[in-house]
Structure formats: C-alpha cells, structure tokens
Amino acid sequence: MKLLLRTNAITMAAIAVMLAFSITPLSAKDYNIAVGDGGGGTQEALGKAFIEALKKSTGGKHTGTLFLNGQLGSEQDTVNNAAIGTLDFSILAINNITPFSPTVGSLTLPYVILSLEDAEKVTQGPIGEQLIKNTVRDAGVRIIAWAYSGFRVLTNSKRPVKSVADLKGLVIRVPKNAIMIDTYKAWGVSPTPMAWSETFAGLQQKVVDGQDNPYITVYAMKFDEVQKYVTNIRYIFSIEPLIISEATYQSLSDEDKAAVIKAGKEATTASAKFLRESESRIKADLVKKGMEISDPENNEKEFIDLATKAVWPKFYESIGGVERLNEVLKELGRDPVK
Ligand code: MLT
C-alpha cells in the first residue's frame, strides 16, 4: 500500500513537471535592458514599471533585467547596439538619440518644453507618434515609453552661477549633442562633449567643472559627492525614452508586440507619477547633502534670449523645417516663429 502511494506521488510529480513545461512557452524571454543612470532615478523607475507591466501583459511569459549605470555601454553606444540587434532595450536621455535621428531635436531645442505637462502633451500626442516613426526610420530603434525627469539644472564644483557672465571660465561637460553644444556657445562658453558613462569620473578628476542634468539624475548619479553649486536653469526638460531594437520588435508575434506597447504606456504613466512624487524630496535631500542652489537672475531672461535667438534658427533644417518647431509650439499653445 505504502509503495503504491509513493508510486502515485512520483507519477503526479512527473505529470506536474510535464505540464509545467508544456504550458511555459519556449519563446519566453528575460530581456536585457540597458540603463544609463544609477539606481534611484527616473530611468530605473521607468524600467521597473515596464518590467512589471510586461510580466502582467504577457501573463508572466516575458520579463526583463535592468543593467544600471551604463554597464551595457554609453547611452549613445546602446542606440547603435540596438540598431544592429545586439541589444534589445535601452533607457536613455532623448539628447543621446538626437545624433541618430535629428528630428527628435525638436524636443531638446532650448526653452521649448517648459513643464512636465508640456512634455506629456508633446510625447503622448501626434508629434510623439511622428517622432517614433522617424526614430524607427533613421536609427533602427522604436520608442515604446517615455520617462520624464525634470529640467536639466546646471551643477559645478567652483562657484555659484547666477548669470551668463558667471559661466565664464567654467569647463562644462555636455553630451555629444550639437544643440546643447551650441546653446553653451551662445552663453559664451565652449563646452566639453563627453559620454555620459565617463561623466562622474570627469567631474571627480576635475577634467570638467560642471554639467547639467535633472535633480533626480544628479541624485541617482551621486553627483553631490563631486559638485557643490546648482543653478535652476530650465533650458531643457529632460525626456528619457525606453527604446526597443526594431529588429527585436519585428521578431515578436502580434500579441507580444501589443503587450510590449501596452506595458510601455503603463510605464510612461508611472514615470510621470514618480517625477511628481519625488522631485521636491530629492531636491531637499541634495541640499541636506551640502549642495547650494541659486536661481538665475532676471527670471533667466539673458539665458533664454541668447539661446533661443542663436540656437533655434540654426537647427530648423535638421529637425525637419521651422514648421516642425511650430507644430510643437502650437500643440503647447504658444505663438509660432516666422
Ligand atoms: C546625458 O547627460 O548624457 C544624459 O542626459 C544622461 C542621462 O541619461 O541621464
């Protein structure tokens, strides 16, 4: 009798194992997701929300693993790797996609996006849809979610900066992004282009004195350890998409494609919530850690006038014509430029 029970138990266990294998699809995947920033920031929040939503929308079939802090390469390298299909997903700042698909520059022209609401409106409407098509066409990657990180504030290790004149003599790191390089030139300094993955070391070793990125990114990258002064400039509202290699996307079944898009939409909503709930706490934390915050003089007027006058016209052609900028301005309820 005992022997019979034991045999039955073994048979049941074998059937359970067989069943488990037969209902786990062979194509189940754990995708590698490159993340440019360290933990605690918007990029990680977007990535975590995407993985959770993907698991949910595929009934647990697909998942993903985040590789933080540029472990899978600099942000611009991850665009190349996704384009050739050696990387499936990456979360990175939009300014690091612009060199591969210049029309997304309409989102990084200085002083175009002036709030989180502006960023949501532009990315989640017809303009965002068109930019997604353009990135597939130009760069072989598809944007499936948007993270919102706040304004890129200026930090440096030398002195408080309140005016354009105060910038003189500071060596500022910028991404390899023509719009950002030209913005600093309009402010009278020649910035140093440097990959994101090298920026902490560059600041620490004083190769550069400063950089700009949102408060949340400054916090995630522990820049408070190597930077003291912050200036609340608002020239770029940082948008950080999740991209999927177009080759990977096209290899998915229709059902999986829909699941990925749905997960991306949910992650986008979660990212905006994360920013709304955490930016002021993180800013206060950075002050506690010793950072000193200044506002630019005269409501930033000099910064705004110099940047918009010199930079906007220079990039009309690369973003697809002045009419592309006017579409964005119209969507945001602002007057067009002539
Ligand atoms: C950069 O400055 O290169 C990026 O904005 C960094 C980031 O992805 O947070």
Side-chain angles (χ1 to χ4, degrees), residues 172-189:
I172 305 292
R173 173 271 169 183
V174 284
K176 295 173 189 163
N177 175 294
I179 292 176
M180 297 165 84
I181 293 169
D182 280 345
T183 303
Y184 277 91
K185 286 190 177 156
W187 293 335
V189 292

Side-chain angles (χ1 to χ4, degrees), residues 223-285:
F223 282 173
D224 53 283
E225 293 173 9
V226 289
Q227 299 280 269
K228 168 103 182 141
Y229 304 100
V230 183
T231 311
N232 278 327
I233 53 171
R234 297 160 303 154
Y235 83 120
I236 291 177
F237 187 96
S238 189
I239 295 172
E240 319 215 36
L242 166 64
I243 57 171
I244 180 172
S245 157
E246 183 61 8
T248 303
Y249 183 74
Q250 290 306 338
S251 73
L252 299 175
S253 66
D254 286 349
E255 199 186 332
D256 282 352
K257 279 189 185 120
V260 162
I261 298 296
K262 182 167 184 286
K265 287 198 184 340
E266 283 179 39
T268 300
T269 305
S271 161
K273 184 164 182 275
F274 176 82
L275 179 65
R276 286 191 170 97
E277 286 173 359
S278 51
E279 192 178 36
S280 38
R281 172 182 49 80
I282 281 174
K283 191 170 162 186
D285 229 51

Side-chain angles (χ1 to χ4, degrees), residues 75-133:
E75 291 194 355
Q76 293 195 9
D77 285 346
T78 66
V79 181
N80 272 325
N81 295 341
I84 58 173
T86 55
L87 174 70
D88 293 315
F89 290 93
S90 176
I91 303 175
L92 72 169
I94 191 88
N95 48 271
N96 285 325
I97 300 185
T98 321
F100 305 95
S101 187
T103 60
V104 295
S106 58
L107 303 185
T108 50
L109 279 179
Y111 302 103
V112 168
I113 309 259
L114 300 179
S115 64
L116 170 57
E117 291 70 30
D118 280 1
E120 289 180 291
K121 206 183 246 179
V122 171
T123 52
Q124 294 177 35
I127 292 169
E129 283 304 320
Q130 187 56 51
L131 293 177
I132 291 171
K133 284 189 191 138

